[in-house]
């Protein structure tokens, strides 16, 4: 029994020793795990600190970005203000330039007026205190206010009329029709004055007829496919001869209008009509033979008796053809004679 008790104790002691070893191992394992846990905790803490530092950096960067944005917005506001200021400055410069241009233009008008009036005084031999000179000045100013032309332009037109030899009173009578002709005929005032003066001279009209001439030219230009300038070119060639034959200004204008409608324009119309008139005034034996073929005689085609329009009506009624037209008016006048006889 005693041996069994000793054996049991020995076994128990052996088990206790083994348990102690296992316990020690377990304690060591726990300690090791605790150490690892501590290190992990320390690492975690370090990471937290690093994260916090990073967060602080991010926060700093965000704050810096916000500051930069604010500064940018401030800069943009300043830029906008600067742009507005610049725009206002440019606008002021433009307005100033426009104002300066207006002033310069006005000064130019005044200078042109004074220069033209002074030249009229010298060329016309007018005294500055004379009624004629004062009438020139007042006419230029009045028409400068009441028409689309400036006083300087009107004075320039009066100067051209004075250069052509018109007295102050005649220049004043002519300038208003010249202005009207320039507007209605779509030509310059200088050209209108030139046309009026030339036509007055061609038909030996006085300045009193200026309105009549201007009205006929505008009316005929509007009634046909011609222009004031084109009619003037025709009158330049045929006007003196038409007047010498007693053909009226109005009739000559109408005939030139018919030729323009048939594509014979400007100086060509004047030259053709002049050729026809010359043939009528100086008939040849061939002319008389051609008239005989038509059943006519020289008196039937005398423009001084029947008028030029009457002559062409007579020829048209007699059946004038191209062959007879060549015999009557020659190669250059045949086309014009045929066209006028047919119209």
């Amino acid at each position: 029994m005693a041996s069994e008790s000793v054996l049991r104790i020995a076994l128990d002691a052996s088990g206790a020793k083994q348990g102690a070893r296992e316990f020690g191992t377990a304690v060591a394992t726990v300690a090791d795990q605790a150490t690892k846990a501590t290190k992990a905790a320390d690492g975690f803490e370090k990471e937290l600190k690093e994260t916090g530092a990073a967060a602080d950096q991010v926060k700093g960067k965000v704050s810096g970005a916000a500051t930069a944005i604010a500064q940018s917005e401030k800069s943009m506001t300043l830029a906008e203000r600067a742009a507005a200021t610049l725009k206002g400055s440019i606008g002021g410069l433009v307005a100033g330039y426009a104002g300066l241009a207006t002033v310069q233009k006005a000064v130019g008008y005044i200078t042109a007026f004074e220069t033209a009036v002074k030249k009229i005084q010298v060329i016309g031999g007018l005294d500055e205190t004379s009624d004629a000179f004062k009438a020139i000045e007042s006419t230029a100013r009045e028409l400068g206010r009441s028409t689309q032309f400036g006083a300087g332009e009107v004075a320039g037109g009066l100067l051209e009329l004075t250069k052509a030899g018109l007295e102050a009173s005649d220049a004043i009578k002519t300038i208003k029709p010249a202005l009207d002709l320039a507007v209605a005929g779509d030509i310059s005032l200088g050209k209108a004055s030139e046309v009026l003066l030339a036509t007055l001279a061609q038909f030996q009209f006085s300045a009193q007829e200026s309105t009549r001439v201007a009205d006929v030219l505008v009316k005929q230009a509007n009634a046909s496919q011609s222009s004031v300038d084109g009619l003037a070119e025709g009158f330049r060639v045929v006007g003196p001869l038409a007047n010498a034959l007693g053909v009226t200004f109005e009739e000559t204008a109408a005939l030139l209008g018919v030729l323009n409608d048939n594509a014979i324009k400007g100086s060509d119309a004047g030259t053709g009509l002049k050729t026809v008139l010359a043939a009528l005034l100086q008939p040849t034996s061939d002319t008389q033979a051609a008239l005989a073929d038509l059943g006519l005689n020289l008196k039937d085609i005398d423009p001084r008796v029947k008028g030029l329009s009457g002559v062409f009506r007579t020829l048209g009624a007699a059946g004038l053809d191209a062959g007879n037209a060549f015999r009557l008016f020659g190669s250059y006048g045949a086309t014009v004679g045929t066209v006028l006889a047919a119209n």
Side-chain angles (χ1 to χ4, degrees), residues 88-99:
S89 299
I90 292 174
L93 287 172
V94 172
Y97 179 78

Side-chain angles (χ1 to χ4, degrees), residues 103-234:
V103 171
Q104 289 176 333
K105 189 174 182 180
V107 171
Y109 283 148
I110 294 172
T111 302
F113 173 80
E114 292 177 346
T115 300
V117 168
K118 185 64 177 177
K119 288 182 178 179
I120 291 172
Q121 179 190 352
V122 173
I123 294 172
L126 304 176
D127 186 274
E128 192 171 350
T129 60
S130 67
D131 291 340
F133 181 74
K134 291 178 181 179
I136 287 285
E137 276 194 317
S138 63
T139 298
R141 294 183 190 280
E142 174 58 30
L143 292 176
R145 286 191 295 268
S146 61
T147 69
Q148 69 183 58
F149 297 93
E153 292 176 291
V154 177
L158 286 166
L159 174 60
E160 292 304 315
L161 297 174
T162 303
K163 286 180 178 180
L166 269 64
E167 298 290 335
S169 59
D170 288 337
I172 290 172
K173 293 172 185 174
T174 306
I175 189 63
K176 182 58 169 63
L179 295 175
D180 294 339
L181 183 62
V183 175
D186 194 25
I187 55 178
S188 68
L189 177 55
K191 183 65 177 178
S193 299
E194 178 187 325
V195 168
L196 273 181
L197 289 172
T199 309
L200 290 174
Q202 289 157 7
F203 287 86
Q204 299 178 325
F205 290 152
S206 68
Q208 295 276 21
E209 302 296 329
S210 296
T211 300
R212 169 191 172 189
V213 170
D215 288 347
V216 169
L217 288 173
V218 172
K219 181 179 179 181
Q220 188 57 55
N222 291 333
S224 63
Q225 296 180 29
S226 56
S227 64
V228 168
D229 203 13
L231 289 172
E233 284 297 305

